[in-house]
Amino acid sequence: MAMLEFKQMFAVARKEFHDRLRSRWALTVAAVFTVFALSIAYFGAAQQGAVGFRGIELTIASLVSLAIYLMPLIALILGYDAVVGERERGSLDLLLSLPITRFELLLGKYLGLAGALALATLLGFGLVGIAIGWQGGQYALFHYGGFMLSALLLGMVFLSLALMVSTFARGKSAASGAAIGLWFVFVLIYDLMLLGALVASEGGLPAWLVSLLVLFNPTDIFRLLNIFSLEELKSLYGLATVVPDALTEAWVLGLAMVAWVLAPLAVAYAKFRCTT
Amino acid sequence: MNTPTVEVTHVSRRFGEVQALDGVDLRVAQGEALGLIGHNGAGKSTLIKLMLGLLHPDRGEIRIAGQSLHGPAYRTLRRQIAYLPENIVFYDNLSGLETLHFFADIKGVARSDCPALLEEVGLAHAARRAVRGYSKGMRQRLGFAQALLGKPTLLFLDEPTTGLDPEGIREFYEILRTLKMRGVTVILSSHNLAQIEDRVDRLALLRQGRLKATGTVKELRAGLNLPLLISLKLRSGGVQPLRDAFAAMTDVQLHLDDGIAEIRCEHRRKMPVLAALGGLVDWVDDVDIHEPSLEDVFLGYAEARDGDA
């Protein structure tokens, strides 16, 4: 296999990125994030009869719940047709005849889409971050920054999963079906099953197994990353008693997230490489 | 033949139940223009994709300039190769110029080369329009411009004139001619024999995944030994002198119908037949000699030899 060349890869990345800017995709998603984040930060407590900024802990707890639903969905929609779309349109053969390796093509696509997602996330949540920093000071800004980065990482994970789906799927509709399936599993079903297992075993599951099971779901990692950085939330969720100590280390969780970005991409490449 | 640029050695490829290619051997020399001829589904596109390294053969080997497309020469070879797929599809949201820029970036060609190429394929006027609004012919021209980026030395063109109007077809072959003069090797597929007959050096006839014959148009005709047809318009009273003239030639078929005579003979008997006709100057109004058409040749190879396939 040829040596990695960045020029070709960036040409692909640039095109994907520009496409998302031009179609106003990035702007739309940023607007969606802004509206949701603002609503949660300022009107989240409206049911309790209060309107306004409630302190960073509760705001982040609400934002995390929102991001767990929204981020994977947006990332999956962004990436599910990256490869299968080209294949179905008939432009993949032409791309593959060019002096670019399949690795560079796949990574270029990923980087371009990731750039667009990063822009939308940082822009969308960043605007609200300014307001939060102004209201809550440095402490709030620091934790909000942490939330933003972890949300971005969550997006990168699901974008990676989307590309994997895209290399395996036979058609675009199959790819979208698989993407929605992944969303259901990771966002809705997995936690229910895990909770069910914990309750059924009456706390009898060994700690290492629970850790492992939590690490197998990137949305859980994302949740832990945000919750365990905030003392007040730890006790609020009562999770401290259930979750093993290893999973309260931010670097362990961060590494796990990075692994979640790389693993699906590696699988995607392994598949893409041998599709002939 | 010079050193071959493309060597296809006993290549087979199957897609599920369909044997798309079966034991194909083919050599294409540097600077040669080869026409791949066959009906839809004959295996032309599959063969092109195999030669491009987009598909792997189940059996056999393909070498470009003596090297495998999947080895360390991957990128070097690809820089010299260009491909125009059948029914080319571009990104609708980009303009023609932006499309070329994208391909130029990947090929490592300066973007400043793009406008001239659009000019060459007759798309300069539409350079800044979105490809969405391009006609099929315009897309094909853009595809051709894309293929010419970076001055490739080996061009694969899959049904390149599909969707082009007669003017476009003429221009396409004009560009092809200049490429040939530059020494570019061209492999193009077509199901339109008449169109490429005079425009390629050699033909390769594919049928149901098998290579039926290769050669120049002349060689293919000779190889098949199809009968030559000579038709005559006789003057009244010319029938008997004609019968007499050919009475001795038992290998020549004579068919008479209301003042029109048709003579069928092997190609090698052409001159003796014409000599015999020379004695009938007073009885013949007009003579037409029909060489077997390329379509006849193609059908001949495709069908007559299915038995030994």
Side-chain angles (χ1 to χ4, degrees):
Chain A
M1 190 44 67
M3 291 270 291
L4 180 70
E5 277 190 21
F6 291 96
K7 232 179 121 183
Q8 281 85 348
M9 198 167 69
F10 285 132
V12 175
R14 188 168 47 212
K15 177 184 172 296
E16 293 296 334
F17 184 74
H18 280 166
D19 279 355
R20 288 341 182 268
L21 286 193
R22 197 197 288 244
S23 65
R24 306 227 161 83
W25 180 93
L27 198 66
T28 310
V29 171
V32 168
F33 284 151
T34 306
V35 169
F36 271 102
L38 263 183
S39 320
I40 281 174
Y42 283 86
F43 306 110
Q47 279 180 317
Q48 286 85 49
V51 171
F53 185 59
R54 296 166 295 154
I56 191 66
E57 275 88 0
L58 287 174
T59 303
I60 284 188
S62 310
L63 280 174
V64 163
S65 306
L66 163 83
I68 280 179
Y69 284 95
L70 211 54
M71 209 61 192
L73 192 66
I74 286 172
L76 286 167
I77 291 172
L78 176 63
Y80 83 94
D81 74 337
V83 175
V84 79
E86 299 268 6
R87 195 190 299 283
E88 210 166 86
R89 200 189 305 125
S91 45
L92 189 60
D93 278 340
L94 180 57
L95 282 178
L96 292 177
S97 75
L98 301 173
I100 183 170
T101 63
R102 289 179 186 227
F103 182 74
E104 290 156 359
L105 182 61
L106 196 67
L107 200 57
K109 288 230 164 219
Y110 183 81
L111 291 178
L113 296 173
L117 186 60
L119 181 73
T121 308
L122 298 180
L123 206 67
F125 285 125
L127 282 174
V128 182
I130 295 169
I132 282 176
W134 181 55
Q135 292 259 342
Q138 218 172 12
Y139 173 79
L141 199 61
F142 175 75
H143 285 288
Y144 186 80
F147 157 75
M148 245 169 51
L149 283 182
S150 59
L152 185 57
L153 213 49
L154 182 67
M156 298 299 132
V157 168
F158 278 88
L159 186 60
S160 177
L161 285 166
L163 249 72
M164 185 182 81
V165 162
S166 199
T167 51
F168 276 86
R170 283 183 175 270
K172 260 175 92 164
S173 52
S176 63
I180 291 169
L182 279 183
W183 187 82
F184 265 100
V185 168
F186 283 125
V187 176
L188 301 178
I189 298 171
Y190 192 93
D191 281 4
L192 279 179
M193 305 268 280
L194 186 57
L195 210 60
L198 281 174
V199 171
S201 69
E202 294 175 346
L205 290 180
W208 64 266
L209 184 61
V210 177
S211 310
L212 204 64
L213 288 174
V214 166
L215 290 179
F216 270 123
N217 186 349
T219 62
D220 283 336
I221 304 174
F222 168 71
R223 203 193 311 263
L224 287 178
L225 256 176
N226 281 282
I227 285 170
F228 279 93
S229 62
L230 296 160
E231 283 301 322
E232 200 179 308
L233 286 182
K234 247 196 270 190
S235 44
L236 187 78
Y237 274 70
L239 276 170
T241 51
V242 183
V243 175
D245 279 347
L247 292 191
T248 60
E249 297 281 354
W251 69 270
V252 174
L253 297 170
L255 267 185
M257 283 296 250
V258 172
W260 264 107
V261 173
L262 297 180
L265 270 181
V267 175
Y269 173 61
K271 170 70 181 167
F272 191 41
R273 222 183 99 161
C274 61
T275 359
T276 53
Chain B
M1 191 186 281
N2 304 325
T3 37
T5 288
V6 182
E7 294 168 272
V8 177
T9 313
H10 218 71
V11 160
S12 297
R13 173 70 202 224
R14 172 181 279 277
F15 296 107
E17 290 298 297
V18 182
Q19 187 71 51
L21 285 177
D22 191 3
V24 171
D25 285 289
L26 188 65
R27 302 277 179 280
V28 186
Q30 175 72 50
E32 192 181 15
L34 178 92
L36 282 177
I37 291 288
H39 294 300
N40 293 330
K44 307 187 295 285
S45 295
T46 304
L47 183 55
I48 287 183
K49 285 180 186 179
L50 280 160
M51 289 190 281
L52 278 164
L54 299 177
L55 294 172
H56 285 280
D58 295 334
R59 274 182 293 129
E61 192 190 34
I62 291 167
R63 289 185 166 268
I64 306 288
Q67 289 171 294
S68 162
L69 258 169
H70 299 284
Y74 184 92
R75 210 185 308 266
T76 349
L77 288 180
R78 271 176 167 69
R79 282 194 205 286
Q80 299 161 26
I81 294 175
Y83 173 41
L84 176 60
E86 188 181 5
N87 300 321
I88 190 151
V89 186
F90 287 115
Y91 307 101
D92 275 353
N93 58 331
L94 300 185
S95 73
L97 189 60
E98 286 165 336
T99 303
L100 275 198
H101 282 169
F102 173 60
F103 286 102
D105 289 349
I106 295 183
K107 289 187 176 187
V109 176
R111 287 185 167 199
S112 53
D113 289 2
C114 297
L117 270 176
L118 285 175
E119 181 79 50
E120 190 174 349
V121 299
L123 274 182
H125 66 286
R128 296 192 183 278
R129 264 163 50 196
V131 174
R132 188 180 296 114
Y134 277 24
S135 69
K136 199 158 185 288
M138 288 166 83
R139 283 165 199 254
Q140 200 66 12
R141 284 166 190 257
L142 184 58
F144 201 40
Q146 167 277 131
L148 296 181
L149 267 172
K151 301 193 167 41
T153 55
L154 174 56
L155 266 173
F156 290 96
L157 311 169
D158 199 352
E159 301 276 356
T161 53
T162 312
L164 291 182
D165 53 22
E167 175 76 356
I169 292 174
R170 199 186 54 75
E171 286 170 15
F172 166 80
Y173 283 111
E174 195 53 40
I175 296 174
L176 200 66
R177 210 172 55 84
T178 51
L179 287 176
K180 259 184 65 66
M181 276 165 20
R182 272 189 232 153
V184 176
T185 311
V186 181
I187 296 177
L188 69 109
S189 77
S190 179
H191 57 262
N192 190 339
L193 285 156
Q195 200 183 88
I196 71 167
E197 184 174 7
D198 305 327
R199 286 151 165 160
V200 295
D201 302 319
R202 212 154 53 96
L203 291 168
L205 306 186
L206 270 173
R207 181 174 159 91
Q208 292 175 346
R210 282 163 183 264
L211 195 62
K212 289 288 179 183
T214 55
T216 62
V217 175
K218 210 172 160 185
E219 284 166 356
L220 289 179
R221 281 202 179 106
L224 203 58
N225 209 7
L226 285 178
L228 193 68
L229 174 69
I230 300 171
S231 57
L232 311 173
K233 203 169 160 191
L234 295 176
R235 291 186 187 145
S236 59
V239 173
Q240 200 48 49
L242 186 68
R243 281 192 204 281
D244 295 342
F246 286 97
M249 292 193 201
T250 49
D251 57 344
V252 172
Q253 294 172 26
L254 201 58
H255 179 81
L256 289 158
D257 184 18
D258 195 25
I260 302 289
E262 286 186 351
I263 300 168
R264 277 172 214 277
C265 65
E266 285 182 26
H267 208 274
R268 60 184 178 83
R269 299 285 284 152
K270 185 174 171 182
M271 289 321 290
V273 168
L274 289 179
L277 285 176
L280 299 171
V281 175
D282 295 336
W283 304 104
V284 177
D285 250 349
D286 200 6
V287 180
D288 278 318
I289 303 173
H290 308 277
E291 295 279 353
S293 73
L294 198 56
E295 307 285 338
D296 293 335
V297 174
F298 180 58
L299 285 173
Y301 276 102
E303 278 153 21
R305 297 195 175 184
D306 264 357
D308 55 41

